[in-house]
Amino acid sequence: MFKTALIIAAATISTGAIAQDAEVSVANGERISIIGGCHDCHSTNYAETGGKIDPATALKGNPVGYSGPWGTNYAVNLRLVVASKSEDEWVPYIKTLQAGPPMPWFNLHVFTEAESRSLYQYIKSLGDPGDPAPERVPPGQTPKTPYIVFAPPVMPQ
Ligand code: HEC
């Protein structure tokens, strides 16, 4: 009896969550971009300003590189990625995306379709795509931009 009540309560919670999640909106997209950590790397000065989203630079990419054994990678300009795709192309793109370190591409694979569409609409709403982030620098070459060394001083075996 008690057990049944618990199960019903759990079912109610998850149905509620799904209903909310199914809503596609720019506001949800903004929230997903924050929770998903996209600004942490793809927006300049986001971490430095304690998480302020600057409409002039949000998700336009970051000229500070991430260096490691892979060379130096730059968080790309996501406004340009969105500008190059339709919303219908974006959904499968995000589901199957793979990218170099430290991009956590695997996390994006769990987005629901509504989350993915909301994120697309939010990025699109930011306006002028602007310029690309710097090109990748191959291993062994010194980048001409500032960069963060993104590797442990001693690599795991
Ligand atoms: C820890 C830093 C970091 C976080 C967090 C992060 N990214 Fe990235 N992202 C990068 C870097 C660096 C690259 C470039 C990787 C490369 O050069 O292969 C990248 C690449 C990408 C690409 C591939 C672009 C292309 O043209 O290949 C997409 C799309 C992308 N990120 C979307 C996102 C989204 C959406 C989020 C939030 C849900 C996010 N990223 C969170 C660092 C990050």
Side-chain angles (χ1 to χ4, degrees), residues 1 15 22 36 38 40 48 67 75 95-96 98 101 130 132 140 147 149 151:
M1 206 8 217
T15 315
C38 317
D40 298 359
E48 292 85 338
S67 288
K95 263 275 177 259
T96 55
Q98 296 199 2
Y147 60 95
V149 178

Side-chain angles (χ1 to χ4, degrees), residues 8-138:
I8 291 166
T12 313
I13 290 164
S14 69
T15 315
I18 289 164
Q20 193 184 34
D21 177 62
E23 188 192 317
V24 175
S25 70
V26 169
N28 273 350
E30 181 178 39
R31 228 180 133 255
I32 289 154
S33 73
I34 295 168
I35 298 168
C38 317
H39 297 281
D40 298 359
C41 299
H42 289 271
S43 300
T44 8
N45 286 328
Y46 181 72
E48 292 85 338
T49 57
K52 281 210 179 67
I53 296 180
D54 178 353
T57 53
L59 300 182
K60 272 184 167 173
N62 204 323
V64 180
Y66 296 98
S67 288
W70 55 83
T72 303
N73 289 344
Y74 296 86
V76 302
N77 181 333
L78 293 181
R79 297 194 196 184
L80 283 175
V81 177
V82 156
S84 74
K85 295 185 195 315
S86 69
E87 192 180 306
D88 286 341
E89 286 166 350
W90 168 263
V91 174
Y93 166 73
I94 286 299
K95 263 275 177 259
T96 55
L97 175 76
Q98 296 199 2
M103 170 63 203
W105 49 268
F106 29 83
N107 294 347
L108 277 60
H109 294 186
V110 305
F111 280 5
T112 63
E113 182 171 338
E115 287 167 341
S116 202
R117 288 186 184 277
S118 296
L119 183 60
Y120 179 94
Q121 291 182 12
Y122 165 62
I123 300 173
K124 196 122 206 187
S125 79
L126 291 169
D128 177 27
D131 298 319
E135 296 269 325
R136 269 189 212 123
V137 179

